Structures are given as C-alpha cells and as structure tokens.
Amino acid sequence: MHNDFVLVGPASDPAHADGDKDIVDALRKIASAKAPFVARGDDSGTSKAEIRLWKEAGIDTKAAGVGWYRDTGSGMGPTLNTAAAMDGYILSDRGTWLSFKNKQNLKIVVEGDRRLFNQYGVMLVNPAKHPYVKQDLGRRFIDWLTSPEGQRTIADYRINGEPPFFPDAKAAQP
C-alpha cells in the first residue's frame, strides 16, 4: 500500500504556497518568506523525506537562518501540535494529518507532487537469523494483507470519510 505526504500550513499562507503542485517550489517560498516551518527531526521516514526535499530545493535549513525553521526532535503528533500553535508549515503523512484533531488554522497547502509518494511494504523476518520469530503467523498476516480481502480492507478504510492509504498488491500470477 501507499499513501503520500502533504505540506500543511496556516490558512493565512504567508509564503503563498497554497495550491502549488511543486513541493520543492513551495519549500523555496517558505524559506524565502522565512515563514515558520516545524520539522520532526527525529530520523523517521517523514523526517528523512523532508530533509531530501529541502536538499532538492537547494536549501540548507541549518545555514538558512535562525528562527523560521524549528526542529522538534519529536513524533508526528507533537510536531503537528507545535505547527498548529505556531501557525507554521509542516510535512505530514496524509494518514496522520487526517487523524489529527488539533488542526486550528492549518490546512493542506500542497499535495499531489510525485515526490510526496510514500510507499509501505511488508516482509517476513528471516527465521534463520531470528529463531524466535513466529514465522507461521507472519506468513498468514502477509498472505491476508496481500489477498483481495486485505487489499479491499485497505481500500475501504477511511478517516473522516477520506482514504489514508491505497492498496498496491498485485494478484499472484500462476
């Protein structure tokens, strides 16, 4: 399955990024405006994606100036709360954003750029390296997740009426 990242920002949009379909262009606008940006900074997948996107934008957030870029070193929920409190921009995965209750004046300002794609996968732990792994249960979970029923469950799941994930498993070929 996959979902995507979204750039969330204040409704007032001081960087004029709302509606931009190019995430790199939007990040440049935020940096140029020195608008508050809140980052996880916790070495998570979201944090790594954000760092990659700033690099593509040609912006070194550490050298770009103090004040507008804030690194929380915390998870997505606390970082979203900080962005809401500061009326700042933040990169979030769509599922967490849809579940987030403290939106205040924040909204999605950039979505749909192919660089915001976020793939999820599943794999069975090697029982030869980890003999205490419950291989049979792991295999059953993988088989269910990639089955038509599992894929339908992913497709049907909604948060506030919106899908946070999209199924990707291909049917096994004979």
Side-chain angles (χ1 to χ4, degrees):
M1 68 184 172
H2 73 273
N3 73 357
D4 60 345
F5 295 108
V6 291
L7 181 66
V8 173
S12 62
D13 192 28
H16 306 291
D18 190 12
D20 203 327
K21 295 296 182 193
D22 183 328
I23 185 63
V24 168
D25 183 55
L27 292 176
R28 287 181 185 132
K29 288 176 181 176
I30 292 166
S32 177
K34 298 208 180 308
F37 187 94
V38 183
R40 284 180 68 164
D42 64 352
D43 203 33
S44 64
T46 302
S47 181
K48 289 177 182 178
E50 182 221 311
I51 291 166
R52 174 182 50 82
L53 293 168
W54 282 115
K55 190 173 189 174
E56 283 185 47
I59 297 166
D60 178 354
T61 56
K62 305 282 188 246
V66 180
W68 67 274
Y69 185 88
R70 307 283 172 90
D71 191 336
T72 67
S74 59
M76 197 74 249
T79 305
L80 275 163
N81 279 324
T82 302
M86 292 179 60
D87 232 10
Y89 293 90
I90 182 172
L91 186 71
S92 175
D93 68 280
R94 185 177 297 273
T96 303
W97 170 250
L98 291 174
S99 298
F100 184 59
K101 304 285 188 230
N102 185 29
K103 290 182 169 69
Q104 293 187 33
N105 292 321
L106 299 180
K107 66 177 192 166
I108 293 176
V109 294
V110 177
E111 61 186 330
D113 187 319
R114 63 174 175 71
R115 293 171 285 201
L116 297 173
F117 181 82
N118 188 25
Q119 183 69 52
Y120 288 80
V122 62
M123 65 182 183
L124 189 61
V125 174
N126 183 344
K129 291 184 178 183
H130 304 281
Y132 300 105
V133 162
K134 297 177 182 172
Q135 181 180 9
D136 293 341
L137 291 174
R139 171 54 53 206
R140 282 180 44 203
F141 174 69
I142 291 170
D143 290 346
W144 176 81
L145 192 62
T146 58
S147 73
E149 179 188 2
Q151 292 292 284
R152 201 169 32 260
T153 300
I154 293 167
D156 291 345
Y157 181 64
R158 297 286 188 268
I159 299 174
N160 301 322
E162 294 189 52
F165 300 100
F166 302 90
D168 287 338
K170 306 286 186 241
Q173 300 299 318

